[in-house]
Amino acid sequence: PLVKLLATAEYDIKKEAAWAISNATSGGTAEQISKLVENGCIRPMCDMLVVNDTRIVIVALEGLENILKVGEQMRRMPGTDGTNPYGRLVEVAEGLDKIEALQDHPAEEVYEKAVHILEHYFDADEGEDQNLAPAMDTGAYAFGAPPPGAQTFDFGAPG
């Protein structure tokens, strides 16, 4: 019922449900957190990442991080495929896109939590630096000596 309230109730009820689920993930066992995930809490928690209430966004990020921590424990268990199963569920729920968008949030705490989650659970720090500047064509409009065999223009020699 709590997860259903988070997914379908009016906003004030959703806020309270988000708090309750986040608190449960904070103090709950891995089994209890897994049960919340089985009941479908990831998508509605991801949906709370776009509300216009900084405190609730932080609560949702904290709850999702606690869920992802359990997923990391599961990832390390023998017989698994080595991926965080809850990370995949966050991606399917469009949560990864929402967390990435929170890097532009005006509240510093939201930004920091979003970056932390991306770096620790989604390998966001790998390959990101490549996209900071466009690639340059190393030969176009470069100053220096012309390549061997290239025609040159002589400013001083009369024609």
Side-chain angles (χ1 to χ4, degrees), residues 25-143:
T25 66
S26 176
T29 65
E31 274 184 67
Q32 292 167 330
I33 292 170
S34 293
K35 193 51 108 174
L36 284 169
V37 172
E38 287 172 23
N39 282 298
C41 75
I42 288 181
R43 182 172 294 276
M45 286 295 276
C46 289
D47 291 343
M48 297 303 283
L49 295 173
V50 297
V51 300
N52 195 18
D53 182 335
T54 299
R55 189 69 209 134
I56 293 302
V57 171
I58 291 168
V59 165
L61 284 170
E62 289 171 346
L64 288 167
E65 182 176 11
N66 292 331
I67 290 167
L68 289 165
K69 283 179 190 173
V70 172
E72 279 298 297
Q73 294 170 4
M74 295 168 73
R75 179 182 74 82
R76 294 187 182 106
M77 294 175 78
T80 64
D81 64 2
T83 60
N84 184 327
Y86 297 160
R88 281 192 306 237
L89 292 175
V90 168
E91 287 184 56
V92 168
E94 300 171 2
L96 180 56
D97 293 337
K98 292 172 183 171
I99 295 169
E100 287 174 343
L102 290 175
Q103 292 177 98
D104 295 326
H105 197 280
E108 185 74 16
E109 188 177 0
V110 171
Y111 162 80
E112 289 173 359
K113 285 188 180 301
V115 168
H116 174 79
I117 289 171
L118 292 169
E119 288 177 349
H120 284 83
Y121 302 102
F122 296 101
D123 297 325
D125 55 345
E126 293 179 13
E128 288 279 311
D129 293 342
Q130 300 170 22
N131 299 324
L132 293 180
M136 294 177 56
D137 183 3
T138 56
Y141 304 104
F143 293 100

